[in-house]
Amino acid sequence: MRYLPLTPEDRASMLATIGAKSVDDFYTDVPEAARLKGKVAGLPDHQGELAVERHLTKLAAKNRSASSGPFFVGAGAYKHHVPASVDMIIQRSEFLTTYTPYQPEIAQGTLQTLFEFQTQVAALTAMDVANASMYDGSTACAEAAVMAARVTRRKKVILSGGLHPHYAAATRLLCEAQGLEVVQLPVAIDGEGELAKAVDGETACVIGQSPNVFGTVTDLSSVADAAHGKGALLVSVFTEAVSLGLVTPPGEMGADIAAGEGQSIGNGLNFGGPYVGLFSVRDKLVRQMPGRLCGETVDADGNRGFVLTLSTREQHIRRDKATSNICTNSGLCALAFTSHMTLLGGKGLKQLAELNHEAAIELADALSSVKGVEVLTPRFFNEFAIRTPMDAEAVLAMLDEAGIVGGVRASRLFPGDHLGDVILVAATECTTADDIAAYADALKEII
């Protein structure tokens, strides 16, 4: 949408209507000392549209897209191929403007896509029921912790040392605002099992991640047993949805709540968002699940129809009864997820997951053959951590000069945890043999 400025006459008419002499009247409550006098230093005067477009185009040209060369970044957001048909579907007018389906009689298409989305997420995570999506994986994780506290009526949440730090930060923020205690276990590449030792009679839930932020795949069944033995819940988190095509899903490991990120399926990197949070639970916990739940029913004539079965947000019910104040279902991102998932099917998802795992194995073999490089992650899907004999930031900078985006330095995610020589690298179906060879060759030159 183009910006169309108001004329002086328009502004004068608006001010007269509300009884203000000037715009300055709106700032009478702001102390004079806090008001800026004159222009903001360093900002240029306004320019014409053409000049602005040229300037912004020049700035954008400084960016390098993930498709412009070898790309090995993961750490919670992954470069996967999104079929062109997905974009075609979500740009149809009846889908592009989807929002809250308040009136089922005119929102059957929206409700059905959300119903299908829920069905897919429940099947992927091997849980009984899923909601109609959340903001993203980190807020889904935070909501899971708060939900566990409501269910158990306890106030202690334990986070694993392998939980993505962004997820941990979001969880800590929401929990502490509600008076819950958050215990973070020490950072560990392979330490999800430590949750079993940390749980006690005061614990509402333990939150483990598989594959974790270092890429380590862990069977959380023993953690689930330990948590349930103490009356606590297990929240199983994932950041790479494609992994569910191969690894054991949360439900089969005994999880009570599964929370994760769905960006990998149907959604591009998009400069970090918007993404789509996945959230599913055991049937017995459905009444405490945040978000919306779409259900299937029949109308007065016996025809199949869809409705909002459960609406737990404060926009629907009294605030003190709401289980969440998140007021979106990321509808378009959820539709992209469902469209891609439908195109793949169960067999296609498994094949896609296998391609990812095979690429990661080839990458690990190639990098570990470089003298001084050590693969730290013992069991991985498509992401793992490596240690280099040099500072990771310096290594990545030199790789960047060679046209290779080599991953994410662990010290960026965990500052102060002595991980300055560790890099998180990821490979997907988009990673080619030439990309892997270029990475390994460049490392040999650098190290």
Side-chain angles (χ1 to χ4, degrees):
M1 180 182 293
R2 298 293 184 183
Y3 172 60
L4 302 176
L6 298 171
T7 65
E9 291 76 16
D10 292 333
R11 294 191 183 93
S13 175
M14 293 168 70
L15 290 169
T17 298
I18 61 176
K21 295 180 181 179
S22 72
V23 174
D24 292 337
D25 290 351
F26 302 151
Y27 300 93
T28 55
D29 293 330
V30 179
E32 189 69 30
R35 300 188 196 182
L36 181 68
K37 295 178 175 61
K39 298 179 179 180
V40 178
L43 286 184
D45 288 335
H46 68 275
Q47 295 180 312
E49 184 177 331
L50 180 58
V52 171
E53 283 184 355
R54 285 172 175 166
H55 179 65
L56 293 178
T57 300
K58 188 179 295 185
L59 292 178
K62 295 181 179 180
N63 292 325
R64 185 168 65 204
S65 75
S67 300
S68 62
F71 183 84
F72 299 91
V73 171
Y78 302 89
K79 181 181 181 297
H80 290 286
H81 172 67
V82 179
S85 50
V86 171
D87 285 338
M88 184 277 293
I89 291 170
I90 68 173
Q91 289 181 52
R92 289 180 61 88
S93 59
E94 62 265 42
F95 291 139
L96 189 60
T97 55
T98 57
Y99 191 57
T100 305
Y102 290 114
Q103 296 173 271
E105 63 273 19
I106 61 171
Q108 284 298 292
T110 299
L111 287 165
Q112 182 172 359
T113 58
L114 292 176
F115 181 82
E116 301 293 347
F117 170 85
Q118 293 170 182
T119 304
Q120 291 170 342
V121 174
L124 274 174
T125 56
M127 302 293 280
D128 297 324
V129 61
N131 71 9
S133 82
M134 310 196 83
Y135 279 133
D136 54 28
S138 61
T139 48
C141 178
E143 290 280 356
V146 174
M147 173 184 165
R150 287 196 305 271
V151 170
T152 62
R153 298 185 181 181
R154 297 177 179 178
K155 292 184 173 293
K156 184 177 181 180
V157 174
I158 303 176
L159 313 180
S160 81
L163 181 66
H164 195 296
H166 296 170
Y167 287 51
T171 301
R172 191 177 300 110
L173 180 66
L174 186 58
C175 286
E176 291 177 353
Q178 299 199 23
L180 304 179
E181 177 190 1
V182 178
V183 177
Q184 174 79 65
L185 298 186
V187 176
I189 292 176
D190 186 14
E192 303 304 301
E194 296 300 310
L195 288 168
K197 303 175 185 177
V199 65
D200 58 26
E202 303 299 317
T203 304
C205 71
V206 292
I207 301 181
Q209 181 177 333
S210 179
N212 69 12
V213 69
F214 296 101
T216 306
V217 176
T218 303
D219 185 349
L220 297 175
S221 299
S222 61
V223 176
D225 292 339
H228 297 157
K230 297 289 186 178
L233 304 183
L234 168 63
V235 177
S236 181
V237 170
F238 55 91
T239 60
E240 170 56 290
V242 173
S243 69
L244 296 174
L246 274 186
V247 304
T248 305
E252 292 184 15
M253 294 188 292
D256 301 285
I257 305 172
E261 177 56 64
Q263 172 269 326
S264 291
I265 301 177
N267 291 271
L269 289 171
N270 300 332
F271 296 96
Y275 290 162
V276 53
L278 310 183
F279 196 102
S280 55
V281 301
R282 297 290 183 193
D283 189 55
K284 64 181 180 180
L285 302 178
V286 66
R287 297 295 300 183
Q288 287 295 331
M289 182 173 64
R292 302 188 183 97
L293 182 63
C294 295
E296 182 181 352
T297 185
V298 293
D299 63 15
D301 298 321
N303 299 315
R304 184 189 191 206
F306 300 91
V307 294
L308 275 181
T309 302
L310 189 66
S311 301
T312 63
R313 295 173 178 175
E314 61 184 32
Q315 68 192 107
H316 293 287
I317 59 178
R318 294 204 312 270
R319 178 171 295 181
D320 60 331
K321 296 294 184 181
T323 58
S324 171
N325 64 356
I326 290 180
C327 296
T328 184
N329 60 9
S330 297
L332 199 60
C333 297
L335 177 62
F337 178 100
T338 297
S339 300
H340 193 183
M341 194 69 250
T342 302
L343 291 167
L344 284 170
K347 183 178 179 180
L349 177 65
K350 182 179 179 181
Q351 292 174 338
L352 177 61
E354 288 173 346
L355 290 173
N356 276 251
H357 186 50
E358 289 167 1
I361 291 174
E362 292 174 10
L363 177 63
D365 289 344
L367 298 186
S368 61
S369 69
V370 179
K371 187 177 180 180
V373 174
E374 178 188 3
V375 174
L376 302 177
T377 305
R379 306 168 303 278
F380 57 83
F381 169 63
N382 70 351
E383 186 169 22
F384 53 88
I386 61 171
R387 174 172 282 128
T388 68
M390 296 172 55
D391 177 72
E393 187 171 8
V395 171
L396 290 173
M398 286 184 276
L399 286 170
D400 183 62
E401 291 177 2
I404 298 168
V405 183
V408 178
R409 57 184 172 87
S411 59
R412 178 180 177 181
L413 298 174
F414 300 99
D417 279 291
H418 309 293
L419 296 172
D421 56 356
V422 176
I423 301 174
L424 306 182
V425 297
T428 69
E429 76 281 3
C430 297
T431 306
T432 67
D434 289 342
D435 293 339
I436 294 172
Y439 196 163
D441 291 343
L443 268 185
K444 290 175 183 177
E445 293 293 327
I446 292 169
I447 297 175

